[in-house]
Amino acid sequence: MKRYLTASLLAGAALLATVGVSAAAGKYTIGISNTVQGNGWREEMICAMKAQALASGEVAKLNIAHRNTDAAGQLEDIRNLISAKVDAIVVNPADPAGIKAGLEEATKAGIVVVAVDQAVTEPSAYIISNNQEQYAYLGAKWLFQQMGGKGEVFYMRGAAGASADSDRDKGFKKALAEFPDVKVAQEVFTGWQQDQAKQQILSFLATGTPINGIWTSGIDNVIVDALVEQQAPMVPVVGADNAGFVGQLSSVKGLVGAAVTNPGSIGGAGVTLALQILDGKKPAQQTVLVEPQLWENATDEGKAKLKSVVDPSLSPEWPVSISIPDWTTYTKEQIVACKGPGE
């Protein structure tokens, strides 16, 4: 079952009251498992986890497994966290099926399991995630409208096998079905890696194949860079709310585009949810979805919104949505410092 949240998220006030009561306790050890390094979104997610653990006052220690690996490697990391007897595991899953056994083992060991950013298939796990299907649908629909309802789109996905990518593919194809005269010129998997995505767009541009729009799964500023460097036609581009891309939407001449919010701060929200459960305040539903917003530069209202959120002080790959109302309580200074309890 799913609970859809807007800016005012359910159960937040009760949770914050609970955290406040035991703010000085520092009694929990939280395990973290992530399988992508060198990606700005994931780095922000880890920093949000650290910052929220510190701000909560409830976490004595973080045990972090943060490396580039596959589902088998993540399963190993999860089992190591179980052996370390952590109180909760917050995981961004590489592949739901590939780590299901480990999550089940964690639950049987009395460990709270919270998946962030992507869904898992283990029914005992809790999930708090950005609504990935809606993320893709909003952006794709806007893009196809900007294309006049027809033409060729370059479809730049995330990582093959990741549940977030699968959900986004559903959203993209839902929008595509509403625009039968829009066709996919080429579909690629970027692996959510900037260098790989830039090489893919450069290789495509070199073919001379005309396109009318580009949809990206959050690897966006390097795509605009490539268009500028190659003096290619500045077709509409959809990306995420990454600081670099948000800045480009206000500064690159001729660029028409939209940023769909997908905050890496969902990692901090995952720590909050884990603490809520550890404190005996389980949510009514297993899955919590944070709804995305679309910020575009094709209207005066959209330009004003982008101007209000642009933040050149952040890393270009970091989403500007560095917090989630009612789910994160750290300051900007804390998430940028990227320090957890004891650091």
Side-chain angles (χ1 to χ4, degrees), residues 29-51:
T29 297
I30 305 294
I32 292 170
S33 174
N34 177 56
T35 61
V36 178
Q37 279 186 318
N39 171 283
W41 193 97
R42 295 291 186 109
E43 299 303 328
E44 182 183 275
M45 180 194 75
I46 293 293
C47 291
M49 291 172 168
K50 290 183 176 184

Side-chain angles (χ1 to χ4, degrees), residues 229-251:
E229 291 166 12
Q230 297 300 307
Q231 298 182 332
M234 194 60 71
V235 298
V237 178
V238 168
D241 58 331
N242 302 315
F245 184 58
V246 168
Q248 288 173 330
L249 290 174
S250 299
S251 64

